[in-house]
Amino acid sequence: MTGPGLATAALETTVFGLDEATTIFLTGLTSAALGTVVAWTAYRGYARNDSRPMLFLAVGIALLTVVPFVSSYAVDWGTDATDATVLLVVTISHLLGLLAIVRSFRRPDST
């Protein structure tokens, strides 16, 4: 609301001289990159020890960190999806990631 004597100023948020969108993108990219390293390390543990829990952990970490970042930008840039649709895609990925991690807590299956 503006009125007599009230000045309105555009609010601009910058971090390290970057605008909000760039800051959010770079933060998400950093998180996805670190998640890739953690998921790859867990996958290597699975491959080295034939440990199914490590496989589920690797998948869970990837679904929590990498997939939401990639899918949110892919859905946002590639479609006319609403913000709610993008949020739904990210939330489903988080849910599946958590389920995979919970599954990784179980004892290895006996074969």
Side-chain angles (χ1 to χ4, degrees):
M1 288 191 261
T2 61
L6 295 177
T8 59
L11 295 176
E12 184 176 326
T13 304
T14 60
V15 176
F16 301 119
L18 302 172
D19 64 1
E20 290 174 340
T22 304
T23 302
I24 291 168
F25 178 81
L26 291 176
T27 303
L29 183 63
T30 303
S31 177
L34 186 58
T36 300
V37 170
V38 173
W40 180 252
T41 303
Y43 178 78
R44 284 182 27 214
Y46 156 72
R48 183 174 45 249
N49 301 312
D50 195 29
S51 171
R52 285 182 51 98
M54 289 302 286
L55 176 62
F56 283 104
L57 181 62
V59 168
I61 294 296
L63 285 168
L64 282 174
T65 58
V66 180
V67 173
F69 174 75
V70 172
S71 63
S72 68
Y73 281 99
V75 168
D76 190 35
W77 291 339
T79 67
D80 292 333
T82 64
D83 288 345
T85 304
V86 174
L87 184 60
L88 178 63
V89 169
V90 168
T91 303
I92 289 170
S93 180
H94 287 162
L95 177 63
L96 294 174
L98 289 172
L99 287 172
I101 290 173
V102 167
R103 171 60 177 90
S104 77
F105 295 152
R106 293 185 55 204
R107 287 190 211 168
D109 296 330
S110 304
T111 53

